[in-house]
């Protein structure tokens, strides 16, 4: 689910971003979420959904154990000068 939300948030950002404008902070909010054991509604089902679900569980376990910065998307990493 995290990956799907990221993809949709990124698409919305890309659609509205104007080149040259600086972005200081960008946030995404969610509400009305269910318990972790509840089965979510299938809004964005596809062939890779189960694979992403397993990956999300692993990432959650790693960040829970080692902290929020333990796993970062490569696309978010800055290149060294």
């Amino acid at each position: 689910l995290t990956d799907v939300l990221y993809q949709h948030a990124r698409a919305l950002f890309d659609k509205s971003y104007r080149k040259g404008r600086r972005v200081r902070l960008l946030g995404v909010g969610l509400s009305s979420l269910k318990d972790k054991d509840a089965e979510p509604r299938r809004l964005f089902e596809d062939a890779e959904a189960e694979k992403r679900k397993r990956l999300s569980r692993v990432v959650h376990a790693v960040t829970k154990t080692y902290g929020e910065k333990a796993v970062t998307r490569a696309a978010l990493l800055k290149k060294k000068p």
Side-chain angles (χ1 to χ4, degrees):
L1 183 60
T2 303
D3 190 49
V4 173
L5 293 173
Y6 171 79
Q7 290 172 4
H8 285 275
R10 181 63 191 253
L12 289 171
F13 173 77
D14 290 342
K15 184 178 178 181
S16 63
Y17 176 71
R18 286 187 264 159
K19 188 173 177 123
R21 292 199 62 176
R22 294 182 176 178
V23 177
R24 186 174 142 226
L25 178 66
L26 179 65
V28 175
L30 301 172
S31 63
S32 301
L33 299 176
K34 296 186 181 222
D35 293 335
K36 68 177 183 176
D37 296 330
E39 187 65 30
R41 290 186 284 162
R42 307 267 185 234
L43 296 177
F44 310 108
E45 193 66 44
D46 61 52
E48 295 290 315
E50 186 60 34
K51 185 177 178 180
R52 286 194 305 270
K53 188 187 291 186
R54 287 192 314 259
L55 177 62
S56 182
R57 285 186 199 125
V58 170
V59 169
H60 177 72
V62 170
T63 57
K64 187 175 179 181
T65 302
Y66 298 104
E68 291 292 321
K69 295 183 179 183
V71 179
T72 302
R73 293 182 177 278
L76 299 178
L77 296 175
K78 294 181 180 179
K79 293 180 181 178
K80 292 183 180 181

